[in-house]
Amino acid sequence: MNKKYRAMQIVAPGVLEMTERPIPAPGPDEVLIRIEACGVCGADLRDAEKAPQAGQPGRIPGHEIVGFIARKGNRVPDIWQTGQRVGVGRLGGYCQHCKPCRSGLFHLCENQLTPGLSCDGGYAEYVVMRHTALIAIPSALSSVHAAPILCAGTATFNALRNSGARAGDRVAVLGMGGLGHMAVQYARKMGFDVTVVARGSEKERAAIELGAHHYIDTLKESASERLKNDGGVDIIVATAPASETVSALLSALAPRGKAILLGTGQTPLQVTPGMMIGAERTLTGSFVSTPAQTELALQFSHLFQTLPVTELLPFERANEALSRLKQGLARYRIVLTMNQDN
């Protein structure tokens, strides 16, 4: 094994630069992963804007990591073996002893690491992670397809799976980007009547091809009025940080309907209490899930071929990938590749 590895680190807000570092040894509860693919997520844009701390090496972004265990610590359970292909998502390993962990809410751990933010991530040839972050990757899924499922996939899959909706219910997906294009596929395969709500007509064809039954262009008509005229919807999955649109859509929820927030933004929602109370509507958020639940999303994706639409770039071009994402040019998930020549 080479003694050094390459990585793209943050050197200034929004700017990455190639660096070489010594390959780290994993601690007793950690594994060293030789990375093969890493998805590019909207959260990476926010992570990359954080300036390096004085005297500290720049943070390495990336949290949709797929690779092979190269070394393991002596306290890592035997379910994880050297040479095994594994993944790591936004959650970098739970502590096992805080109150949420003791309640089985591992994804809400108070001491959770966050790859690319509080620890180094996957825009690199190697990374060290806690074993509690590890996700088993089905052999039938390619690393490129598996990577985006570790964040965008599991976030939308579990939001729908835990929504309480049943086959035949009406689901509206707000947004047709990295999260939205996965939500559409999952909703269709789960048996829902799927409407995509997006800005502009250019994504209509892709939305229908991926499984949407209906498409609403918010530049041409009021999405809330259209949905209400069609009888309302049982579930709204808001994958885009469009607070004004989400606020307007709440009135289109059927009685006891639920709106689930996935896309983050800075603008507050405008909610009329009476509208929510009178029809017993619900507004809630949904976070990415535990490793075990992410494995269910991966298995579902394999069984029903609900796969991310990807474009590939070598990780040396990470700056280009972030630029494309920032400009809204990604269709729909960019995946960085590394260690592909051996």
Side-chain angles (χ1 to χ4, degrees):
M1 181 184 296
N2 294 328
K3 295 182 179 180
K4 291 188 176 183
Y5 73 104
R6 297 180 305 148
M8 295 294 289
Q9 68 178 9
I10 303 167
V11 293
V15 180
L16 308 183
E17 184 178 88
M18 181 68 71
T19 186
E20 280 196 349
R21 299 183 182 182
I23 294 178
D29 298 300
E30 298 173 332
V31 299
L32 174 68
I33 301 172
R34 185 175 185 269
I35 304 172
E36 192 172 61
C38 184
V40 178
C41 178
D44 296 348
L45 287 172
R46 297 188 293 274
D47 294 347
E49 288 296 329
K50 298 185 181 299
Q53 296 182 5
Q56 298 294 320
R59 180 68 70 208
I60 300 169
H63 61 269
E64 295 178 348
I65 304 165
V66 178
F68 296 85
I69 297 176
R71 296 178 189 168
K72 55 180 283 189
N74 58 18
R75 291 205 298 259
V76 175
D78 288 340
I79 61 169
W80 307 114
Q81 295 294 326
T82 301
Q84 182 177 355
R85 191 168 59 131
V86 295
V88 176
R90 187 60 167 169
L91 307 183
Y94 50 89
C95 72
Q96 306 181 74
H97 59 75
C98 69
K99 187 174 181 179
C101 281
R102 294 184 65 196
S103 301
L105 302 173
F106 302 117
H107 63 305
L108 302 181
C109 171
E110 295 172 350
N111 304 301
Q112 188 92 235
L113 294 175
T114 305
L117 187 60
S118 63
C119 66
D120 284 332
Y123 291 12
E125 293 174 324
Y126 286 89
V127 70
V128 167
M129 285 290 166
R130 290 177 178 173
H131 74 79
T132 52
L134 298 181
I135 299 161
I137 306 295
S139 59
L141 280 181
S142 71
S143 295
V144 167
H145 279 148
I149 297 172
L150 303 179
C151 182
T154 190
T156 51
F157 174 78
N158 280 283
L160 288 163
R161 181 170 176 264
N162 298 323
S163 68
R166 297 183 177 183
D169 284 349
R170 299 195 65 203
V171 171
V173 176
L174 173 60
M176 187 57 192
L179 286 167
H181 94 287
M182 293 301 300
V184 170
Q185 295 181 74
Y186 287 135
R188 176 63 180 252
K189 296 297 184 179
M190 290 179 184
F192 304 138
D193 184 320
V194 186
T195 299
V196 168
V197 178
R199 184 181 176 88
S201 60
E202 65 275 5
K203 295 182 180 180
E204 180 172 5
R205 180 177 178 181
I208 299 301
E209 289 177 347
L210 289 174
H213 298 93
H214 321 282
Y215 185 89
I216 300 175
D217 177 358
T218 58
L219 294 180
K220 295 181 179 179
E221 60 181 318
S222 166
S224 59
E225 291 303 316
R226 165 82 175 273
L227 291 173
K228 283 188 283 188
N229 290 338
D230 290 344
V233 291
D234 302 290
I235 301 292
I236 296 171
V237 179
T239 70
S243 296
E244 184 176 343
T245 305
V246 174
S247 300
L249 285 178
L250 293 177
S251 64
L253 283 171
R256 293 199 168 181
K258 180 186 292 186
I260 306 171
L261 304 179
L262 296 179
T264 59
Q266 300 299 317
T267 306
L269 295 175
Q270 300 295 318
V271 181
T272 304
M275 177 188 67
M276 304 300 291
I277 295 169
E280 295 187 349
R281 299 178 173 111
T282 301
L283 175 63
T284 187
S286 182
F287 195 37
V288 290
S289 53
T290 65
Q293 290 172 332
T294 300
E295 288 171 3
L296 292 178
L298 288 162
Q299 186 66 8
F300 188 97
S301 292
H302 161 55
L303 289 174
F304 294 96
Q305 289 298 289
T306 51
L307 303 176
V309 177
T310 60
E311 51 182 289
L312 308 184
L313 286 175
F315 86 110
E316 295 91 340
R317 293 168 63 183
N319 281 304
E320 179 183 341
L322 291 177
S323 177
R324 285 182 56 77
L325 186 61
K326 189 172 185 178
Q327 296 176 67
L329 299 176
R331 293 293 183 268
Y332 287 93
R333 292 302 267 201
I334 299 174
V335 177
L336 303 178
T337 59
M338 55 285 289
N339 289 314
Q340 299 290 312
D341 54 346
N342 294 323

